[in-house]
Each structure stands twice: as structure tokens, then as C-alpha cells.
Amino acid sequence: MNKIKKTEIMKSVYGRNDEAAADFNKFLTGKKIFCVNVLGSPGAGKTTLLIDLIGRLIRRSFVIEGDVASDIDARRLAGQNIPAAQINTGGACHLNAAAVADCFHNSAGGFIGGYLFIENIGNLICPVDFFLGEHAKMLVCSVTEGGDKSYKYPLAFERADVIVINKSDLSAHVDFDEKFFSDGARMLNQTAPIFTVSGVTGAGVSEVAEWLTYRAAPVTG
Ligand SMILES: Nc1nc2c(ncn2[C@@H]2O[C@H](COP(=O)(O)OP(=O)(O)O)[C@@H](O)[C@H]2O)c(=O)[nH]1
Ligand SMILES: [Mg+2]
């Protein structure tokens, strides 16, 4: 396939996704639902953090879990009484807006007012390019991944509305350089708050919940 043809196909893929995402965003806003697209590497602690975070929010939440295969995360959330649905991409490295909107309409009918969290496929590259209709992107990193991720995956940091450094309880055991990490993130993104948390001990998570509540208020009312 020549380069021009490939570029045209990719433009059309992004264009159609952006249209579906804009429609879904409008639908969610109309229902007073604030939507968060949760991005991060596999194992960064996205699901663990969501369980703690959701427990601290006053309004209710629904979670769409994206994984290549398995419904482990959706079952884990259901075990904590958090309503959740699972999308399996069967190989694709990111979720798309049409699949997310279909999943929501099929599994969360009647849900009004609150939060929709979409846990994207664990990956710092592909999911960044696909708008899902979210009001905010939350990037979850962890101290065990090393402090250089902001330098290696700049777009994820550039587009984040909030950056979370998870697994702070393990800081003493790894050589994570928080200043190096934050300097890299700040070069790319001057506005996103950076929170240091532990999804296991709960340290710092209430600050994330406060930020989210404040940020969501214009939508949730
Ligand atoms: N020590 C520690 N372990 C964590 C923390 N958050 C998650 N984990 C562990 O990291 C692993 C991956 O967590 P998970 O939430 O499934 O990550 P996800 O793939 O990003 O959703 C699990 O074994 C969790 O128990 C944390 O804050 N501290
Ligand atoms: Mg997960």
C-alpha cells in the first residue's frame, strides 16, 4: 500500500472514531455522567486504584474494562459491588468509541448522574490516539516502571488531564526518581496535576477523588 493511501485510510479511521466519540460525549454530558479514560501500562495498578477511588466518590460509578482477553477485571470490580462491563478487543491494542458506546448502552441502560470510568488496554501508545468521548484522561504510572516513561512516551503525558504515580508504598524498594519523572512530565504538560498514591494502602487517593469531584462538577451538577 502506498504512503498516501495509508495516510488517507488512517485519517478516515480517526475521523469516524472522533465522530462517534463526540456523539457519545454529548450523550454522557446530557445524562450528567463525567467520563474518565484511564490509561497506563499493564500492571500499573489501574484496576486497583479504581476500586479505591470509586469507594471515595459520593456519586455512583460504572466501569467499562478493556482487555485483549478475559473478564478478570470486570469480575474483580463486580466482587467489590462496582457495576462493570468488559470489552475484549481480541488483539487490538486500544478501545474505540463505537465499541465503548455500544457496551455502555447494552450494559448500563438507565445509568444517570455520576462517573463512567473506561479502563483502556494497558499500553502507553495506541490508546492515546483514540478519543472515546471522555471528559478527562487519567494516566496511571507506577514507581516500579521507572522514572523515564514521560521521556519515552511523550504523547500520553502531553494529553493527560491528571497524572497518577501509583505504588508509592514500594518507593523504598525501587530506584524511582520522582523529580526526574515529574520534570519530564512538566516539560510536556504544565497543567495536569500529578498525584502520588498507593492503590494498596490508599495513601494519596482522597486527593485524586477531590480533584475528580471538582473537575466533574460542571457535568455532574
Ligand atoms: N504494592 C502495590 N501493589 C499494587 C498497587 N496497585 C496495584 N498493585 C498490584 O499490582 C498488580 C497489578 O494491578 P492491577 O490493578 O491489576 O493493574 P492494571 O493492569 O493496571 O489494572 C496487582 O498485583 C496489584 O495488587 C500499589 O499501589 N502498591
Ligand atoms: Mg486492569
Side-chain angles (χ1 to χ4, degrees):
M1 191 184 300
N2 70 40
K3 217 170 173 181
I4 294 175
K5 192 142 191 198
K6 194 171 171 195
T7 305
E8 277 169 8
I9 290 170
M10 285 319 288
K11 262 192 195 161
S12 134
V13 167
Y14 289 135
R16 260 183 285 130
N17 183 72
D18 280 351
E19 269 175 40
D23 286 349
F24 190 47
N25 178 274
K26 214 167 154 189
F27 169 83
L28 292 171
T29 305
K31 300 274 181 198
K32 297 187 185 299
I33 298 169
F34 187 83
C35 179
V36 184
N37 187 354
V38 184
L39 308 172
S41 311
K46 299 179 293 300
T47 311
T48 307
L49 177 64
L50 281 179
I51 291 170
D52 191 325
L53 180 61
I54 287 169
R56 293 169 195 265
L57 296 170
I58 291 163
R59 294 180 192 280
R60 50 200 203 120
S61 298
F62 190 90
V63 182
I64 293 180
E65 281 293 340
D67 280 296
V68 170
S70 99
D71 63 352
I72 291 173
D73 280 358
R75 283 192 285 116
R76 194 174 156 201
L77 291 161
Q80 301 290 323
N81 292 318
I82 298 170
Q86 182 82 47
I87 296 178
N88 286 146
T89 62
C93 57
H94 61 87
L95 294 173
N96 68 68
V100 168
D102 274 357
C103 175
F104 184 82
H105 294 310
N106 291 333
S107 52
F111 184 81
I112 296 174
Y115 301 90
L116 170 62
F117 292 95
I118 304 166
E119 183 180 331
N120 218 313
I121 309 297
N123 180 331
L124 290 175
I125 310 159
C126 323
V128 181
D129 279 328
F130 285 81
F131 177 41
L132 302 179
E134 68 270 14
H135 297 93
K137 286 189 203 313
M138 176 186 288
L139 177 61
V140 181
C141 302
S142 59
V143 300
T144 49
E145 289 165 48
D148 56 5
K149 294 302 165 287
S150 46
Y151 301 87
K152 292 183 174 174
Y153 303 97
L155 208 54
F157 286 82
E158 213 175 291
R159 301 222 173 133
D161 295 288
V162 55
I163 298 167
V164 179
I165 304 170
N166 190 32
K167 307 196 185 183
S168 62
D169 58 295
L170 296 179
S171 289
H173 307 287
V174 291
D175 61 352
F176 181 73
D177 183 338
E178 190 160 339
K179 184 176 180 315
F180 182 60
F181 175 93
S182 299
D183 285 350
R186 272 291 161 260
M187 263 181 346
L188 299 158
N189 187 328
Q190 283 80 50
T191 53
I194 303 174
F195 294 105
T196 303
V197 311
S198 169
V200 164
T201 67
V205 183
S206 60
E207 281 88 338
V208 183
E210 262 172 47
W211 177 85
L212 196 57
T213 305
Y214 176 77
R215 179 73 185 246
V219 172
T220 56

